[in-house]
Amino acid sequence: MDKTHDPALTSWVASANDPATDFPIQNLPYGRFRLQGDGAWRVGVAIGDQVLDLSAARFDALGGQPCASMESLMAATPAQRRALRAELSEALRDGSKRAGELRGALHAQAAVELGLPCRIGDYTDFYTGIHHATTVGKLFRPDNPLLPNYKWVPIGYHGRVSSIGISGQQFHRPRGQLKAPDQETPSLQPSKRLDYELELGIFVCASNALGEPVAMEQAEDHIFGLTLLNDWSARDVQAWEYQPLGPFLSKSFATTLSPWVVTLDALAPYRKPFRRPEGDPQPLPYLDSPFNRECGAIDMVLEVWLQTPAMRQAGQGPQKLMSSNFTDAYWTVAQLVAHHTVNGCNLQPGDLLGSGTISGPQAGQGGSLLELSSGGKTPLVLANGERRTFLEDGDTVSLRAYCQGEGLRRIGLGECVGTVLPART
Amino acid sequence: MDKTHDPALTSWVASANDPATDFPIQNLPYGRFRLQGDGAWRVGVAIGDQVLDLSAARFDALGGQPCASMESLMAATPAQRRALRAELSEALRDGSKRAGELRGALHAQAAVELGLPCRIGDYTDFYTGIHHATTVGKLFRPDNPLLPNYKWVPIGYHGRVSSIGISGQQFHRPRGQLKAPDQETPSLQPSKRLDYELELGIFVCASNALGEPVAMEQAEDHIFGLTLLNDWSARDVQAWEYQPLGPFLSKSFATTLSPWVVTLDALAPYRKPFRRPEGDPQPLPYLDSPFNRECGAIDMVLEVWLQTPAMRQAGQGPQKLMSSNFTDAYWTVAQLVAHHTVNGCNLQPGDLLGSGTISGPQAGQGGSLLELSSGGKTPLVLANGERRTFLEDGDTVSLRAYCQGEGLRRIGLGECVGTVLPART
């Protein structure tokens, strides 16, 4: 733990000292924003409820130049990014000599437009939530919920980039081919089983050449940081389309990200040992390293919140539906990078990996409505008496995530919000 | 059929009049190239064994300006592109007044570097080859080869963009987790069942807004043209990894495209009625249109050629392994666009769709070695006595495709060549 993690540090940006903020001076996540009437995306750092414009402030770690793009930040070495983090921490700290100068480079987050962190190249969605895989598997195969490959292979598949949007995304309920088991033929209809999935997004910052795998020891150097990711899913479309090549239109209508990329450096105090449960196979050598065993996992609370139109009309805020922890994942972020590249596949800066739905081990900890409603059979009863098996029009889903611990400052990922609009007619 | 298809047309570019060329004046496909020592990609038109540099020649259909990028050409309307085709046809025709001027904008294809036609956004691979799906399905499910959704849903899945390369691509045999049925646990090994897949690539040129499906009637306006696509596949990696979310590392190590995009306008004389076999379900209304029934299919011969290291050493050219026809596909290109967007997914200029492996109905017409060797059980015996179940190191696979017909000029897609290098140690 270096000085940037010291929980006693406070900032001259007052809102960063609010114990409830996701963005204290110990966090310093990166994102892109633009000012009203200004078309160009700028790179910024979230601090409290403000964003520091890195195109308007100069730091030695960036050669004393304005930060031109997220791509240039991603192209920096891990040591350069760590140096920038140290400089930002000093500059935003209480008593910093740069406070006066940097105040002019601050904007209220509420006053700017937040965008996707970068141009996303390829997007791969993994399936590391073993409790999710088990619960969903049980719905299809009660006797054999986990397939034989699950504990050996970090299961993943390619996802759709073009429909990835930023927090605040609104999308029309998708239509697709639906075929109920008792129907002879499918028909085109709006999805009746629309769902969310609670995931983390992992941004890649360094490339490997085609044909050259990334070893576990270098894997985290290829990771820029984490966001929240809502992998919206049309379960009925998925059930009919997914054999034999996997999910397609059941996912590609929308995917929502939170705007701030929280670096692995910020999360360093929350790293935890990665251990396989008793009796489970150990990872193959190419998915194993001493560092990964020692601190491959990340202790981060994940939550889903729902606000229905009735709640909104009654002036009620969203209701928390569940919480889980990223330590519930069966594979670490380093393992995802090592596995993805073991066949020679080239990852590139700006690529996005999804963790898969992170559910907890207990009933009530499912990261999707499919799990919480037992496949639509047991409606979830909300505090206001409403029921949900799947999402209804007007529902707003918010994902949240934060690390907190004894003697440590809370590090949050911000919010990932999306709203379901009615199907187009 | 307009004047540009007239088989009697000849060009002042002599090689375009060779009956064997893929690129007569009736074709006029687009691609990107660069000159030695010049880093910038230029847009060109293939004519015989030459390429006409569109950044060095001016056409009214492009506003009298040099063509700045493939993206700008894709952004043109279908009418503008048709006008450009007419102008190119006139300008390259025997007796054209522009011959002298345009001669300076010609380069020998052999002397330039050909690149990917554009920056590819998303890549979706479909599975329209019903004979392929049936043969492969039989290997896994002898009694029930085709899954119940096949004749209703154009099955597709997202593919990997970063590892797509251009004809001439060489790649190392991928490593991955392999588990033979008689083994207790998997291990990391070079693939032993490396294969090719004979596909067409379909480039998208027009975008639809997120949430707004493309109707069948407009679908072909969203298609720029066709290339060849080799969907290299590691069958043993695929068998172990693909449940439940589909192929991943078994495909993402390499995909090879041919450099020239042949437009649907060039293929107009080869359109054929699209008919479902007797007894098969008719497409749902969103996948149907009068135009599609009348001429949705494309009569195009597809071939796979193999050259082994022994052939190369003996000075022997490649051997043709099989041929099929794009009319063997179960879905048309318009249906792929309409299906892909029916859930609101936004296609964007530069997106790539793969047709899926196009095999013919007969034994010996399989578009992959998996089919030709009955899952590796019956080796293919080559003319020189060599045998192949799957690809060996040093093997070079060439895909070819062309349209030809009575009283019509042959329209070819060029070559899509790739070579397997040994696995890295």
Side-chain angles (χ1 to χ4, degrees), chain A residues 298-309:
Chain A
I298 301 172
D299 180 11
M300 179 186 288
V301 176
L302 307 173
E303 298 173 348
V304 176
W305 296 67
L306 174 69
Q307 189 182 41
T308 68

Side-chain angles (χ1 to χ4, degrees), chain A residues 152 160 162 343 346 351, chain B residues 152 160 162 177 249 346 351:
Chain A
W152 296 99
R160 179 80 195 174
S162 71
N343 68 342
N346 51 335
D351 283 352
Chain B
W152 297 98
R160 179 80 194 174
S162 70
Q177 284 195 28
L249 299 189
N346 52 335
D351 284 352

Side-chain angles (χ1 to χ4, degrees), chain A residues 33-58:
Chain A
F33 72 100
R34 55 186 175 193
L35 306 178
Q36 246 184 346
D38 175 13
W41 291 109
R42 305 168 183 219
V43 179
V45 175
I47 178 82
D49 61 9
Q50 304 290 302
V51 50
L52 177 70
D53 182 354
L54 288 190
S55 75
R58 292 169 187 240

Side-chain angles (χ1 to χ4, degrees), chain B residues 193-260:
Chain B
R193 293 162 69 92
L194 184 61
D195 205 352
Y196 56 80
E197 288 192 344
L198 170 60
E199 302 197 17
L200 289 173
I202 299 148
F203 272 99
V204 173
C205 58
S207 58
N208 60 302
L210 192 61
E212 293 185 6
V214 178
M216 279 295 286
E217 285 71 15
Q218 279 76 50
E220 290 202 0
D221 288 348
H222 290 250
I223 295 176
F224 191 65
L226 305 185
T227 67
L228 282 158
L229 186 157
N230 189 336
D231 179 26
W232 305 95
S233 300
R235 303 296 179 192
D236 38 10
V237 175
Q238 187 173 349
W240 174 234
E241 77 170 0
Y242 93 107
Q243 289 283 14
L245 298 180
F248 178 42
L249 299 189
S250 54
K251 304 277 193 174
S252 62
F253 55 91
T255 303
T256 310
L257 289 182
S258 59
W260 298 106

Side-chain angles (χ1 to χ4, degrees), chain B residues 178-191:
Chain B
L178 310 187
K179 195 185 93 58
D182 60 345
Q183 284 175 327
E184 279 284 304
T185 60
S187 59
L188 185 69
Q189 294 174 58
S191 169

Side-chain angles (χ1 to χ4, degrees), chain A residues 211-222:
Chain A
E212 294 185 4
V214 178
M216 279 295 286
E217 286 71 14
Q218 280 78 50
E220 290 201 1
D221 287 348
H222 290 250

Side-chain angles (χ1 to χ4, degrees), chain A residues 222-239:
Chain A
H222 290 250
I223 295 176
F224 191 66
L226 305 185
T227 67
L228 282 158
L229 186 156
N230 190 337
D231 179 27
W232 305 95
S233 300
R235 304 296 179 192
D236 38 11
V237 175
Q238 188 173 349

